[in-house]
Each structure stands twice: as C-alpha cells, then as structure tokens.
Amino acid sequence: MNVTRGFTGRPRVHNPGLPPGQYDAGEDWPVLSAEVTPDLAPADWSFRIDGLVERPHTWDWDAAHTLPASAYDGDIHCVTGWSKFGVRFGGVSLDAFFTVVRPHVSATHVIAYSHTGYTTNLPFADLTGGRAWIVWEYDGKPLPSEHGGPARLVVPHLYFWKSAKWIAGLTLLDHDEPGFWEGNGYHERGNPWEEQRYSGD
Amino acid sequence: MPGRIEVSNQEAAVWQTATLTEIRRETPRAATFRLAVPRWAGHLPGQHLMLRLTAADGYTAQRHYSIASAPDDSGHIELTLDHVPDGEVSGWFHTVARLGDTVEVRGPLSGFFAWPGDRPALLIGAGSGVVPLMSMVRHHRLRGLAVPLRLLVSARSPEELIYASELGTETTPVFTRRAPQGMPVGRMAAAHVAPLLAERPAHGWEAYVCGSNAFAEHASRLLVAAGQPVDRIRIERFG
Ligand SMILES: Cc1cc2nc3c(=O)[nH]c(=O)nc-3n(C[C@H](O)[C@H](O)[C@H](O)COP(=O)(O)OP(=O)(O)OC[C@H]3O[C@@H](n4cnc5c(N)ncnc54)[C@H](O)[C@@H]3O)c2cc1C
C-alpha cells in the first residue's frame, strides 16, 4: 500500500453497495459521452435486432411500447469513478425483444450500436435473464437526451459505458469484437465489482 | 468514430509512483503540479491519466486528470487542477501537497481525444477544460508544427484564465463575467466560432471540445450550427 501523506479522505460511512474505487455522486448525474448529443425525436427512433437470430426485427417507438413494461430500480456505476444509488428507469426488458427475434444458440456476443455510430460489445449472457433493459423513462419522466433519450440500453451490472445511449440496435455474433471504448483501451467486459476498467485489468 | 491512436493496454494497467517536484500557481483557483514519473511511457496531447490517493486506513480516491504538458523526454508530466470546493482529491493537492510527496498514476488513457499533431486542430475549452488543449498548443510549439491550430477559451475573468501568459496569437479568449477594458463580456457565441470555421484549412478542422458538461453541450452545438461535421467533433467532459 502506497499511503499518501496527509490524505484521510472525506468522512464516510461504509457503503456495501459501492464497488471498489467508486464514490457516491449523490444527486449528481455526470454526462460522459465523447460525441455531440443528437436531437433524436421519438418518431425518428427505431431499434433493431439482427445477426444470429431466427427473425431479425425492427421496432419503432410505438411498437416498442406495446411490449410488456419493465423497470430497473437500483444503482449504476461509471468507469470514471462515480456511482449513483437508487436510480429508476422505465422501459422494456431485453428478454421481451429476444422472445420476438429468437437468438441462435451460436450467439455468444453482441455489438450494441447507437443512432450516433457509438458501439460497445457485450457477452450475450449479460443481456438476458432480466438484467438488461431498453429504457425511455428516468424517475417517471422522459429520459433526457444528454442521458441517451429518447431511449438507451441499460445494463446496470456492468460499467455504464456498456449502456449505449441513443440505442439503435444489437447485432448478435458468435465472436467478440471491440466497440468504441474497448478499442480505446477499456476492458472488454467492464464488471465494476472486479474493477475491470481498462484492458489488462 | 475511431480513436486517434492505439493505446497501449500494458501501460494503462500499471499503477506507478509519481513524485511531486514543482507546484506553480496559475490562477487563484488553479495550480499546476509537476510530477516525476520515471517509467512514464509517453503520451499524446489530449490524453488523461487516472490518479489515486491512499489513506492510512486503506481508503483510496481515484480521479481522472488531463495531462497538461507536451510529450517530452524529461521523465516528468504536469497536471493542472482546479480547487473544487470540498473536493476530496483536488482539496488534498491544493491544501496538503508539498514537494517530495508521492501519489499513484496509471496511464496514459484513451486515444480518442488525443491529437498527434497531424490534422488542423480547432480547440475549444472552458475553465480547466483548457488543460488537455494546452498540451496540444505546447506540442505544436515545441515541434514547430506548421499544421493550423486555433484555441478558443472561455474563462470567468482575466485572472481566472489558466495559462494566460502562455497563450499567443493562436488563442481567442472569451470572458463571461469580467473582461479587460475594451473587450465584451458574455458567453461564447456563434460570432466567436464563425471566423475560425471561415478559415477552412485544407481537409477541414478536427474539433476538440473540453470542459464541464454544460459547456461541452453549448460549444458542440455552436460548432454543429456553424457547419462543423458531427463526426469531426471530439468531446471530453469533466463531469
Ligand atoms: C477525462 C477527465 C479529465 C479531467 N481532467 C481534469 C483536469 O485536467 N483538471 C481538473 O481540475 N479536473 C479534471 N477533471 C475532473 C476531476 O476528475 C475531478 O472530478 C475533480 O478534480 C474533482 O475531484 P475532487 O476529488 O477534488 O472532488 P470530489 O470530492 O469528487 O467533489 C466534487 C464535488 O462533489 C461534491 N461531493 C462529492 N462527494 C461528496 C460527499 N461524499 N460529501 C460531500 N460533497 C461531496 C463536492 O462538494 C464537490 O463539489 C477531469 C475529469 C475527467 C472525467
């Protein structure tokens, strides 16, 4: 341990919900995208799943809203160090979308891409079993554009750069391919509890 | 959009000890901290690092900081930190740190905001957002590069303009609260961006925007409105 002289840190209560190396951002919700925030109206939003599936499909705003509603109530963790507790997102579980497209058993990975061209890769298994959502509501209100509105992916058990904003689609693959930040030195999976920040962690 | 460079995964994974060798006041709120990092692998202007402080009880705080210095072989790098009120890490740097103290760093990180000095660069920053842009300006000077480079920087007042004495003819300052005699006071506007875009260097500008999220949103919208292609705007948000 490399102790920093005179550094005590802020008085703190131990919070078991805080992964290693993270701090509680409290009410703040920092914005960390490397792109210009797009002006994307719900009417111009669509979401497609293709690649290794039986029936590739595209949903528009209204069609996506006919799927069974599902909410995430919990915490999110950003690789830049902040965590946010008790966040409430409303949308649809990805499982509902997968039921329609019927993924092949050979699908092992997914590339998620946004309406801006941003990409991120995920193991397919991280998106199933009620652990991933397409969301359009934050705290009961429409998701703000700088946070990915009208709709974004939310995979809260991984660092938040995996939760692609302005989500446009998923392509199912039988191999892994780095996305935008993964090609810029970030970890392929990004599990906050194992501090998988950068590639090599 | 592709990153500008491939980053070495090995360097990014290793924590190194950095020793504080110099502290320079820049403004009442910002100071530059020079660190000796003997095994620093080198960086490109625009990259940042992760910095970690450790308390005696094992508690750690880590934050990202842009690298202010140009790449060189001095075995040193420089960071410029704003003193954030109540800030855990910046507070330690501004009130406790003294020469000889050690901290830990890992990096350089992210090739996305990096500028190798190849394309015409239009740099727009506010407050401490000027830090990675200054690394680019310094790199441009140190190497005597001919490729066009312009800096548009917003500060509250002349006293709060970081690196004021180092800024040259490539720079247009914008003051939002108080300006020197004869200069307007106000927020960055289309009129500041237009003349720079009108310069139209061969192959166009690569734009780099850095600052708070509110500033990054504002500046990137000005750029888009003025005709800069969205896929040639790179944004670093400090939060
Ligand atoms: C890529 C990147 C590059 C950056 N580069 C730079 C740079 O070059 N220079 C620079 O100055 N900054 C830079 N930053 C910002 C930097 O990482 C830190 O966010 C900043 O220094 C503040 O950290 P801190 O520990 O001092 O403040 P923090 O302790 O994080 O506090 C920030 C604010 O939150 C409040 N706060 C947070 N937690 C608590 C709590 N538990 N109790 C009470 N209040 C709390 C504080 O009051 C304060 O107002 C960069 C950020 C990023 C993402």
Side-chain angles (χ1 to χ4, degrees):
Chain A
M1 195 165 73
N2 201 327
V3 173
T4 315
R5 184 192 60 81
F7 178 70
T8 51
R10 217 182 250 118
R12 55 195 174 269
V13 279
H14 175 67
N15 187 334
L18 208 54
Q22 296 290 109
Y23 69 95
D24 180 357
E27 290 304 304
D28 287 352
W29 189 3
V31 174
L32 286 146
S33 49
E35 307 155 283
V36 178
T37 300
D39 283 317
L40 188 65
D44 299 326
W45 179 83
S46 63
F47 176 63
R48 177 173 174 79
I49 304 184
D50 58 18
L52 296 172
V53 298
E54 297 287 324
R55 294 192 303 179
H57 193 81
T58 304
W59 291 264
D60 65 11
W61 185 255
D62 292 338
H65 282 70
T66 63
L67 295 170
S70 173
Y72 171 70
D73 222 334
D75 311 333
I76 57 176
H77 312 287
C78 174
V79 68
T80 63
W82 55 267
S83 291
K84 191 166 170 57
F85 295 109
V87 172
R88 174 153 247 262
F89 287 117
V92 171
S93 166
L94 269 185
D95 294 313
F97 293 92
F98 290 136
T99 306
V100 176
V101 297
R102 298 210 298 260
H104 285 174
V105 285
S106 59
T108 56
H109 290 82
V110 167
I111 283 277
Y113 54 95
S114 78
H115 283 272
T116 61
Y118 175 85
T119 56
T120 188
N121 57 326
L122 299 115
F124 179 53
D126 277 314
L127 297 183
T128 58
R131 293 193 301 160
W133 289 261
I134 299 296
V135 308
W136 35 70
E137 274 177 19
Y138 169 69
D139 224 1
K141 296 187 215 46
L143 181 68
S145 59
E146 59 179 8
H147 290 300
R152 75 178 297 161
L153 176 66
V154 167
V155 191
H157 66 284
L158 299 179
Y159 282 127
F160 220 47
W161 91 82
K162 294 287 179 181
S163 295
K165 297 176 182 180
W166 315 297
I167 188 77
L170 305 177
T171 300
L172 276 62
L173 305 169
D174 61 5
H175 60 277
D176 198 6
E177 264 177 30
F180 174 82
W181 286 121
E182 295 80 11
N184 277 292
Y186 283 68
H187 197 274
E188 308 80 62
R189 179 141 186 274
N191 179 345
W193 298 97
E194 297 184 1
E195 264 206 285
Q196 295 170 337
R197 296 177 193 274
Y198 303 103
S199 113
D201 280 349
Chain B
M1 199 188 325
R4 297 303 320 270
I5 52 148
E6 291 290 323
V7 292
S8 161
N9 303 329
Q10 245 131 27
E11 267 89 44
V14 180
W15 286 103
Q16 300 191 47
T17 300
T19 307
L20 193 53
T21 61
E22 191 186 329
I23 303 176
R24 289 198 309 269
R25 180 134 303 280
E26 301 282 359
T27 71
R29 279 164 37 105
T32 293
F33 299 87
R34 187 170 174 83
L35 301 163
V37 193
R39 290 184 299 113
W40 187 247
H43 62 277
L44 285 177
Q47 284 191 288
H48 59 263
L49 52 67
M50 196 174 218
L51 184 141
R52 177 166 79 183
L53 304 184
T54 305
D57 65 359
Y59 171 80
T60 60
Q62 40 192 33
R63 301 285 186 272
H64 288 93
Y65 292 104
S66 297
I67 300 157
S69 46
D72 59 30
D73 49 19
S74 65
H76 288 72
I77 53 168
E78 293 186 354
L79 308 178
T80 301
L81 270 67
D82 240 344
H83 189 176
V84 175
D86 281 345
E88 198 169 37
V89 172
S90 67
W92 180 85
F93 269 95
H94 279 270
T95 62
V96 179
R98 59 177 191 229
L99 303 190
D101 279 344
T102 58
V103 298
E104 288 175 287
V105 295
R106 66 187 286 191
L109 303 171
S110 180
F112 176 72
F113 200 72
W115 180 69
D118 52 350
R119 300 183 195 163
L122 176 54
L123 318 177
I124 305 189
S128 58
V130 69
V131 173
L133 310 180
M134 195 62 204
S135 176
M136 300 178 191
V137 172
R138 288 168 167 163
H139 181 62
H140 191 263
R141 287 188 193 153
L142 202 65
R143 297 291 152 99
L145 300 178
V147 61
L149 174 127
R150 298 285 177 273
L151 172 62
L152 188 55
V153 61
S154 172
R156 274 186 277 237
S157 66
E159 297 71 43
E160 292 203 24
L161 180 62
I162 303 177
Y163 313 126
S165 64
E166 260 189 81
L167 302 173
T169 53
E170 78 289 321
T171 301
T172 312
V174 176
F175 297 108
T176 56
R177 301 269 175 84
R178 210 162 39 70
Q181 274 272 293
M183 274 187 75
V185 175
R187 136 180 155 120
M188 194 175 289
H192 295 108
V193 177
L196 300 173
L197 284 180
E199 285 185 33
R200 291 186 189 286
H203 312 298
W205 295 112
E206 196 73 26
Y208 292 81
V209 176
C210 186
S212 67
N213 176 54
F215 177 80
E217 284 293 297
H218 175 64
S220 60
R221 280 172 201 278
L222 288 178
L223 280 170
V224 173
Q228 175 70 9
V230 275
D231 61 354
R232 299 202 53 194
I233 302 175
R234 293 166 191 275
I235 306 179
E236 185 95 283
R237 304 169 199 248
F238 282 2

